[in-house]
């Protein structure tokens, strides 16, 4: 029997008990991490460098990229270090920091995706009012609200989880620190308070999701009425990447948390958690760079300028 005051570290769930396979996972995660750093870094550099991309859409994309970088940097390095050194431990302070940062960055990203859907709605459905509704000050305020709301959400959840008495050991059934895993270690009914906060957060998230869905229903209706094929193509090229990112983020998160217990197993839970917490962050740059012609052109100009032909 232990309590939270006597716990100095937690044990994360390893992907395998075989050292050779642990090293394989290390190299796999290292490749994903470096690809995410490269892709997101190129998007940040390109948007900052090209004056033509200093628009509300790319301002929000810049913020989304920063959140992606922060989130994947919060999860993967510790997991890679544990695989490399064949250990499972994470310190108590590291646990608190990882939970806070994960909830903060993931929540802020979802709120920002909601703001981005509003940006696309105004750009396509109300183009004459775009400059008025999405001026530079309004964009800064909306992005700041997404970051601040994510921070407040993380602060509430982390403080509440931090106060829970723990008496069911220190082994977590996940390869990174997650609130649901901590609730399983609680030994009092005080965890119901955290469940209440989770339900409240889910209701807010559902409201954001419905806003995104309704925005894209209106966007689709307007796009189908655009007479010019070139106009439709441009509208689709700016909206489809954002819709793909939202779909990937929401679908993997829902499957990870709502899958029936009857199909749950340790290996499946690990695979699903990677799909939910790592894959969307790693493929977001690829989704945007493949579908967005303006971004591809700006990136090509930047590369050509940095590495001119002899």
């Amino acid at each position: 029997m232990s309590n939270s005051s006597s716990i100095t570290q937690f044990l994360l769930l390893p992907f395998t008990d075989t050292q050779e396979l642990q090293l394989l996972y290390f190299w796999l995660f290292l490749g994903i991490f470096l690809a995410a750093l490269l892709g997101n870094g190129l998007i940040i550099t390109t948007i900052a460098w090209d004056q033509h991309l200093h628009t509300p859409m790319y301002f929000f994309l810049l913020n989304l990229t920063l959140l992606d970088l922060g989130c994947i940097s919060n999860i993967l390095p510790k997991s890679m270090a544990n695989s490399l050194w064949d250990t499972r431990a994470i310190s108590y302070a590291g646990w608190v920091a990882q939970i806070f940062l994960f909830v903060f960055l993931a929540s802020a990203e979802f709120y920002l995706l909601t703001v981005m859907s509003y940006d696309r709605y105004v750009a396509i459905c109300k183009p004459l009012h775009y400059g008025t509704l999405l001026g530079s000050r309004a964009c800064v305020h909306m992005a700041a609200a997404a970051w601040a709301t994510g921070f407040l959400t993380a602060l509430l959840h982390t403080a509440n989880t931090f106060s829970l008495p723990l008496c069911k050991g220190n082994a977590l059934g996940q390869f990174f620190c997650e609130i649901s895993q901590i609730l399983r270690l609680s030994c009092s009914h005080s965890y119901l308070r955290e469940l209440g906060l989770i339900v409240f957060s889910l209701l807010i998230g559902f409201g954001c999701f419905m806003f995104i869905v309704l925005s894209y229903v209106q966007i689709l209706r307007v796009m189908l009425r655009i007479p010019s094929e070139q106009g439709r193509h441009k509208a689709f090229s700016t909206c489809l990447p954002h819709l793909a990112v939202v779909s990937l983020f929401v679908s993997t998160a829902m499957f990870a948390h709502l899958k029936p217990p009857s199909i749950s197993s340790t290996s499946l839970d690990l695979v699903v958690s990677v799909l939910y917490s790592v894959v969307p962050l790693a493929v977001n740059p690829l989704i945007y760079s493949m579908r967005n012609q303006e971004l591809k052109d700006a990136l090509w100009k930047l590369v050509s300028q940095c590495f001119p032909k002899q």
Side-chain angles (χ1 to χ4, degrees):
M1 195 88 158
S2 63
N3 55 48
S4 54
S5 61
S6 64
I7 295 177
T8 58
Q9 66 177 15
F10 289 89
L11 300 178
L12 299 173
L13 185 65
F15 282 90
T16 178
D17 295 326
T18 308
Q19 174 64 11
E20 290 76 12
L21 289 178
Q22 288 279 36
L23 292 176
L24 178 62
Y25 284 118
F26 166 78
W27 289 112
L28 176 62
F29 279 155
L30 180 62
I32 294 174
F33 185 58
L34 292 178
L37 289 181
L38 177 62
N40 286 296
L42 284 174
I43 290 178
I44 292 173
T45 305
T46 303
I47 294 175
W49 172 79
D50 196 318
Q51 295 291 326
H52 296 95
L53 300 183
H54 292 181
T55 62
M57 184 179 77
Y58 292 105
F59 170 73
F60 293 133
L61 177 56
L62 178 65
N63 279 267
L64 181 70
T65 304
L66 291 172
L67 289 168
D68 281 344
L69 272 179
C71 204
I72 202 167
S73 299
N74 176 50
I75 295 174
L76 281 191
K78 180 58 182 175
S79 180
M80 289 190 297
N82 282 2
S83 295
L84 182 62
W85 302 111
D86 193 22
T87 181
R88 299 174 56 191
I90 183 172
S91 67
Y92 193 83
W95 161 72
V96 174
Q98 193 172 81
I99 280 185
F100 175 80
L101 289 173
F102 180 74
V103 176
F104 166 40
L105 297 168
S107 300
E109 178 157 338
F110 190 59
Y111 298 141
L112 187 66
L113 288 171
T114 306
V115 171
M116 292 174 74
S117 71
Y118 174 71
D119 166 70
R120 291 298 84 206
Y121 166 76
V122 175
I124 293 174
C125 300
K126 299 180 181 296
L128 297 179
H129 302 282
Y130 189 73
T132 304
L133 296 175
L134 284 158
S136 57
R137 179 175 295 182
C139 291
V140 170
H141 287 169
M142 286 189 284
W147 285 81
T149 308
F151 180 86
L152 181 61
T153 301
L155 191 63
L156 289 173
H157 282 290
T158 306
N160 201 49
T161 306
F162 185 74
S163 65
L164 292 176
L166 308 177
C167 64
K168 298 180 182 178
N170 63 343
L172 304 176
Q174 183 61 279
F175 78 98
F176 67 98
C177 297
E178 200 174 34
I179 288 178
S180 60
Q181 297 297 324
I182 300 300
L183 295 183
R184 296 178 183 179
L185 304 181
S186 178
C187 55
S188 79
H189 292 294
S190 57
Y191 75 90
L192 294 175
R193 185 176 55 196
E194 174 58 24
L195 286 179
L197 275 176
I198 291 175
V199 171
F200 179 70
S201 298
L202 289 176
L203 289 175
I204 295 177
F206 181 74
C208 292
F209 177 68
M210 290 306 299
F211 181 87
I212 293 172
V213 170
L214 291 175
S215 296
Y216 273 95
V217 168
Q218 295 298 319
I219 288 171
L220 183 60
R221 290 175 58 188
V222 172
M223 285 195 300
L224 293 177
R225 292 201 301 263
I226 296 176
S228 165
E229 183 177 347
Q230 183 178 0
R232 284 198 303 270
H233 176 74
K234 184 176 181 180
F236 275 110
S237 68
T238 59
C239 288
L240 285 181
H242 177 250
L243 189 58
V245 169
V246 171
S247 302
L248 185 63
F249 186 84
V250 173
S251 61
T252 53
M254 288 181 62
F255 183 73
H257 292 96
L258 300 179
K259 66 182 185 300
S262 58
I263 66 170
S264 183
S265 66
T266 300
S267 57
L268 177 63
D269 289 347
L270 283 172
V271 172
V272 169
S273 62
V274 171
L275 291 175
Y276 151 60
S277 60
V278 176
V279 173
L281 307 175
V283 302
N284 281 357
L286 185 62
I287 292 173
Y288 275 103
S289 61
M290 285 184 66
R291 292 294 309 176
N292 193 304
Q293 190 61 44
E294 285 183 329
L295 189 60
K296 286 194 291 186
D297 292 342
L299 179 58
W300 179 249
K301 289 179 184 177
L302 176 61
V303 172
S304 300
Q305 184 168 320
C306 294
F307 304 99
K309 294 182 180 180
Q310 300 296 329

